[in-house]
Amino acid sequence: MYRISALDGTKLAVYDWNPTGEKTVLLIHGWPLSHKIYEYQLLPLLACGYRVVAMDLRGFGASDVADAGYTYDQMATDIYCVVCQMQLKSFSLVGFSMGGAIALRYMRLFNGFGVEQLVLLAAAAPSWTKRADFPYGLSRADVDALIDQAATDRPQLARTFSHEQLFASPQSEAVKDWFEQIALSASGIATVQCAIALRDEDGRPDLAAVKVPTAIIHGAKDVVVSGDLARIQQQSIKGARRYTLENSGHGIMYDELKRFNTLFLAVLAGEK
């Protein structure tokens, strides 16, 4: 594990497997999780010869818990610091859920620096919350209730998320408990502040900034990020391809594990 310094001094945990691989994949997790959600993609990626870089966003996993900086702009800038300090070039940028929204912000703020391909997994973009001129996503009242629960009963939030909302296919209690523990490994500060960002951030301008081949993978049974958002992403990103896993929910990288990995590797290889 590397410790990469963000511009404000926050230390970011970064993991680098097979650093001599010919092609690089940079993995960005979602809320309120960590890089560990990609455990079952790591070995297939390495078997294909990829260099795999993953990071814990600030306040999550093994990264420092900053008292501020949980906006999409700051977290996209954190990605830029990792890209520059790890000297990543011509890589595939993969973002799950909130991580997808942050990846899109990176594409706009830094003109997609170093990115040759974008992969959005159940991305909470462009706006997770309904607005007066955007009738998609969750209501503000629902997200406010989520923020309140994060601030007052985070263990219950983690349990509900992992046991009731994440998966659409049958999973063992052990798997659900594992995702719950990953969620609990997040700091309280990051869990609350990123929920606020999910409510308030409007990423619609980010979509038009994407100028690289883009793949969108979404679960048909996702109750966290609606299929409407995946459709809008495809419509707003020129040339984007959208793939739907019919028996998957929000936990897209695990719900239909073998099918997802086959599709994911094909997308990265440019076969889809």
Side-chain angles (χ1 to χ4, degrees):
M1 183 184 76
Y2 294 89
R3 302 282 285 175
I4 300 294
S5 293
L7 295 181
D8 63 357
T10 301
K11 300 295 185 182
L12 305 168
V14 181
Y15 307 81
D16 188 6
W17 295 277
N18 191 28
T20 60
E22 290 187 9
K23 292 187 176 182
T24 301
V25 178
L26 174 57
L27 304 173
I28 310 298
H29 66 82
W31 173 92
L33 301 164
S34 77
H35 81 282
K36 291 183 178 180
I37 63 171
Y38 293 110
E39 177 175 338
Y40 294 95
Q41 284 68 58
L42 179 57
L43 286 177
L45 286 168
L46 293 176
C48 292
Y50 286 99
R51 177 187 185 185
V52 183
V53 180
M55 63 180 289
D56 289 333
L57 296 169
R58 59 174 57 213
F60 297 92
S63 289
D64 282 357
V65 181
D67 59 0
Y70 297 97
T71 64
Y72 288 1
D73 281 4
Q74 179 60 64
M75 291 186 286
T77 302
D78 291 348
I79 294 175
Y80 180 71
C81 290
V82 170
V83 169
C84 292
Q85 293 185 50
M86 299 292 289
Q87 299 183 353
L88 304 184
K89 300 175 182 178
S90 301
F91 61 91
S92 295
L93 179 59
V94 179
F96 166 67
S97 194
M98 183 186 74
I102 295 168
L104 285 163
R105 184 62 53 86
Y106 175 90
M107 299 302 293
R108 180 165 67 86
L109 288 186
F110 301 100
N111 197 31
F113 180 76
V115 179
E116 67 174 12
Q117 180 186 35
L118 179 66
V119 182
L120 301 173
L121 307 177
S127 174
W128 198 47
T129 309
K130 292 178 181 177
R131 302 172 184 277
D133 59 345
F134 191 82
Y136 310 102
L138 299 181
S139 71
R140 185 181 180 91
D142 285 342
V143 182
D144 283 343
L146 190 70
I147 293 167
D148 181 69
Q149 185 177 41
T152 59
D153 193 351
R154 189 167 64 88
Q156 184 60 57
L157 181 148
R159 174 163 285 271
T160 300
F161 180 65
S162 60
H163 285 254
E164 300 177 17
Q165 299 172 337
L166 200 54
F167 303 113
S169 299
Q171 305 296 340
S172 68
E173 288 302 306
V175 163
K176 296 175 185 177
D177 289 345
W178 177 55
F179 275 87
E180 180 181 353
Q181 290 303 312
I182 296 174
L184 286 173
S185 73
S187 70
I189 290 175
T191 302
V192 171
Q193 292 300 316
C194 283
I196 293 171
L198 280 162
R199 182 193 65 191
D200 294 345
E201 294 273 5
D202 185 351
R204 283 178 286 180
D206 300 334
L207 298 175
V210 179
K211 307 297 182 184
V212 299
T214 300
I216 299 159
I217 305 178
H218 201 86
K221 298 180 179 179
D222 194 332
V223 299
V224 177
V225 173
S226 75
D228 287 329
L229 298 189
R231 175 179 54 81
I232 291 166
Q233 293 161 26
Q234 182 185 23
Q235 291 173 347
S236 303
I237 299 174
K238 186 176 180 179
R241 296 152 293 151
R242 178 160 57 104
Y243 306 92
T244 302
L245 296 182
E246 296 297 335
N247 294 310
S248 287
H250 192 56
I252 192 84
M253 77 293 295
Y254 198 89
D255 229 345
E256 297 177 80
L257 181 59
K258 291 182 179 179
R259 187 178 176 203
F260 172 81
N261 281 348
T262 298
L263 174 60
F264 186 47
L265 292 173
V267 163
L268 290 173
E271 298 171 0
K272 286 282 190 175

